Amino acid sequence: LEMLLKIAEVLEVDVKELSDRQYLILRFITLDDTITIDEMMQKMKVSPITVKRDLADLQAKGIIAREGGRKNGRWVIQKQIK
């Protein structure tokens, strides 16, 4: 829980805005910005659709962005302005 609050504080995101899975995704990206959807899916034991939906929501909120292509790309965590 402490880690989630720190991530939210750094990103200037309201804790209530994100699900537990979305916080976990942010943690994964923090540790490895080249992590794939398949790797996230395996770690969280959820379907690819679920991961894609959470990633799309994080992107729509301006919290993350994808740079580059599927094979050589990386995730970028951006600061969200409240």
Side-chain angles (χ1 to χ4, degrees), residues 45-57:
K45 297 181 178 24
V46 296
S47 72
I49 301 281
T50 300
V51 175
K52 288 177 184 178
R53 184 178 53 238
D54 285 338
L55 288 168
D57 189 45

Side-chain angles (χ1 to χ4, degrees), residues 3-4 6-13 18 21-35 40 54-55 58-67 73-81:
M3 177 59 71
L4 299 179
K6 285 180 184 176
I7 290 172
E9 184 179 314
V10 168
L11 295 175
E12 297 181 5
V13 174
L18 305 178
R21 277 193 324 267
Q22 289 172 335
Y23 277 117
L24 199 51
I25 288 171
L26 290 175
R27 177 78 174 133
F28 293 152
I29 292 171
T30 301
L31 296 173
D32 176 11
D33 63 0
T34 62
I35 190 166
M40 289 185 223
D54 285 338
L55 288 168
L58 289 168
Q59 287 174 310
K61 291 177 179 174
I63 297 170
I64 63 169
R66 181 78 179 168
E67 286 184 352
R74 68 185 191 98
W75 295 103
V76 178
I77 297 179
Q78 303 173 330
K79 237 181 188 179
Q80 171 144 348
I81 301 168

